[in-house]
Every structure is written in C-alpha cells, then in structure tokens.
Amino acid sequence: MSVITPIGTLYRGGEGMWTWVLHRITGVSVFFFLLVHVLDTALVRVSPEAYDLIIATYKTPIVNVLEVGLVGAVLYHALNGLRVILIDFWKRGPRYQRQMTWVIAAIWFALMLPGTFFMMKHTIEAMFGSTS
Amino acid sequence: MTTLDISAPRSGAKRSGQRSNFELYSWLFMRISGIILVVLVLSHLVIMNLLDGGVQRINFAFVAGRWSSPFWQIWDLTMLWLAMLHGTNGMRTIVNDYAERNQTRFWLKMALYTASGFIILLGTLVIFTFDPNIG
Ligand code: HEM
C-alpha cells in the first residue's frame, strides 16, 4: 500500500510534516530551557558562590551531554526556521523546499560533528585521560 | 517535478465583528525575530560552549567581565526579549492548536503569559542591576 500525499500542502505526510513536527518539539524544548536558564543566571544577583555552584552542574558529564542536545535542538530549529522563511518569501522557496531539507540536514551534521567533540573535549579527557 | 497547487479555500473569507491584523503581525514577527535570533543565539552558543574552554571557564568573574561592556549587556538584553517574545508567541500558537475547550485555552495562555512576563522582567532587572562587587 502506498501512501498518497495530497497535493496542495507541505504539511501532511513525508519530510514536510516531520520537519514541522521537529520544529515544534525543538521550539517547545528550547523555550522551557530558556525559562530555567534565566533563573539560573539570575543567581548572579544573589552571590558569586550561588552562581558558581549552579554553573558547576553545567560542567558535569551528564549535563554536558544534555547541553549538546540543546545546541543540536537550537541549531535544527534555527536552520529549519530559515528554510520556512525561504519557503514563505523566496519565489522558488516552495519548489525547492525538499532540497532545502537535505541542505539543512547536511549543514546540521557538518556543524554538530566537530561541535559535539569540542563541547565534550573536557568531559572526554576527564573520563578517559588526555586526548592529546 | 510536481508543482504545488494550493487549492482555493472552500468558503469565503467572511468574518463577523472586529477585524484585526494581529495574527498577520505575529506571523511576521516570528520571521523577523527568527532571523535576528540566528545571529544572536548561535553566536551566544559558540562563545559560551566552544571558545577558549567552553562552559568549563564560566563563573561569576566571567559574567562580571562580560557585563562590564555595554555591548554584551545590549546583546543579552535584545536576545532575552526577542527569544522570550518569539518563544511565547510560538507557545501561544501551540496552545491554540491543541487545547480545544475555551476555558482550557484561556487558562493555559494566562499561565504562559504570567511565566513569560515574570522571566522577561527578572532577566531585564538582572542585566540592569548587576553588581560585580556583590557578596
Ligand atoms: C535561532 C533562531 C530561530 C529561528 C530562525 C526561528 C524561526 C522560527 C520560525 C520561522 C517559526 C514559525 C514557524 C511557522 O510559522 O510555521 C518559529 C516557531 C517557533 N519558535 Fe523559533 N526560531 C528561532 C529561535 C527560537 C528560540 C530561541 C525559541 C525558544 C525560546 C523558539 C521557539 C519557537 C516556538 C515555540 C515556535 C512555535 C512552533 C510551532 O508553531 O510549531 N524559536 N521559529
């Protein structure tokens, strides 16, 4: 059985729908992180000790991995957001929306591969010894 | 190559009562703020997580150093306001999409606006009243 994608929408079935689902999930996740992030930064108004204590949790291996996930989510949302903007404003946007999906996927991997390594360099060294 | 053929709406655009362009402006705001946030947020992530030492070098003294410059104060303030308004407006869309009962929609949005207003106010106060000699 083949799935028939109705013509006239970018949003029902296929890549167009999944890029939208991911855009929504990453948008919500980043929003909730931002609420927490403003609260933790607000501790600079309490005392240097309070702030340094909360920032220390960001330096632990588990939160370090979560941070990589956050950066990946923001990067996807940003790239796909630009794709949505091009679909809306660029004359050929709707026609090239699928190609643009593969372009943003390529950019995402190209940035996340080295990005993940450098974000986790300290954690990797702390756990497995020096990398150099 | 399939061409996109967006079919005409089946019912006419008849609206009762007051017309407002709010949704148009909010649609436009999502796109304009998005473009600015690409620069502000992605640079923020690179500076904080990758450049010399990444998150390992961040502490109170680091924040004090950055906010001694009006450039980074304005950067962070703009980023705070744009990201919060963009995120809140996006959440508003999502609540409108999924919460079907009028009451539920209303109260979810009130909770959203309360939380957002509090965070924007708190963040703004923190940037403007930061004191490097505290404690
Ligand atoms: C980094 C640059 C960003 C870009 C280019 C961007 C772009 C966009 C665009 C164009 C939309 C509208 C999508 C549509 O109308 O279909 C959108 C929606 C949204 N954005 Fe962003 N955004 C960015 C950052 C953020 C941040 C930092 C947050 C969180 C605070 C966020 C949260 C959301 C949410 C919750 C939605 C609603 C999603 C939906 O309706 O499905 N975005 N974004």
Side-chain angles (χ1 to χ4, degrees):
Chain A
M1 244 192 72
S2 67
V3 179
I4 300 163
T5 310
I7 301 233
T9 173
L10 304 172
Y11 293 107
R12 246 185 291 169
E15 306 89 335
M17 182 182 83
W18 292 111
T19 52
W20 169 79
V21 168
L22 259 185
H23 194 81
R24 189 157 265 199
I25 294 173
T26 52
V28 173
S29 319
V30 173
F31 178 74
F32 282 114
F33 168 76
L34 180 56
L35 300 183
V36 176
H37 186 44
V38 173
L39 291 175
D40 67 57
T41 305
L43 288 177
V44 295
R45 286 299 291 129
V46 175
S47 73
E49 292 74 24
Y51 181 74
D52 289 352
L53 201 65
I54 196 83
I55 285 302
T57 61
Y58 277 92
K59 305 178 187 180
T60 60
I62 291 173
V63 182
N64 192 208
V65 172
L66 292 176
E67 279 287 300
V68 174
L70 175 79
V71 169
V74 173
L75 183 59
Y76 171 78
H77 189 95
L79 290 169
N80 190 59
L82 293 176
R83 172 178 158 271
V84 168
I85 292 168
L86 284 171
I87 294 174
D88 288 342
F89 290 111
W90 178 35
K91 196 172 61 197
R92 297 184 210 287
R95 186 189 304 170
Y96 287 115
Q97 65 89 8
R98 181 162 310 172
Q99 283 90 331
M100 289 195 285
T101 303
W102 302 122
V103 171
I104 67 168
I107 298 175
W108 190 88
F109 278 106
L111 294 177
M112 281 311 284
L113 288 177
T116 303
F117 174 75
F118 287 109
M119 275 185 72
M120 298 206 47
K121 198 163 180 291
H122 178 89
T123 298
I124 297 168
E125 284 173 358
M127 292 176 79
F128 306 110
S130 175
T131 52
S132 51
Chain B
M1 179 91 218
T2 45
T3 48
L4 275 164
D5 176 18
I6 313 242
S7 48
R10 275 164 293 221
S11 54
K14 243 180 273 153
R15 272 187 281 181
S16 56
Q18 280 268 306
R19 282 167 155 256
S20 139
N21 282 331
F22 178 76
E23 291 299 338
L24 171 67
Y25 292 126
S26 112
W27 177 90
L28 197 61
F29 171 75
M30 289 309 271
R31 277 134 189 89
I32 294 170
S33 58
I35 291 171
I36 305 172
L37 283 170
V38 170
V39 179
L40 295 178
V41 173
L42 295 188
S43 314
H44 177 77
L45 291 178
V46 168
I47 294 168
M48 296 303 181
N49 292 303
L50 291 176
L51 295 192
D52 62 338
V55 73
Q56 302 297 329
R57 79 194 190 299
I58 296 181
N59 57 23
F60 183 86
F62 179 83
V63 177
R66 271 171 69 81
W67 280 348
S68 65
S69 142
F71 179 83
W72 291 116
Q73 284 185 312
I74 293 170
W75 182 295
D76 287 350
L77 196 69
T78 314
M79 187 164 64
L80 170 76
W81 277 75
L82 284 183
M84 280 305 297
L85 291 176
H86 176 107
T88 304
N89 195 228
M91 294 296 290
R92 182 183 66 87
T93 304
I94 295 174
V95 169
N96 283 338
D97 275 359
Y98 296 124
E100 292 181 3
R101 287 184 55 232
N102 284 344
Q103 288 272 315
T104 319
R105 240 190 352 261
F106 176 81
W107 287 111
L108 278 176
K109 281 191 274 186
M110 283 307 130
L112 172 67
Y113 300 152
T114 310
S116 299
F118 172 74
I119 293 291
I120 293 178
L121 201 69
L122 176 70
T124 305
L125 277 175
V126 166
I127 293 174
F128 276 122
T129 67
F130 178 72
D131 172 9
N133 302 314
I134 195 177

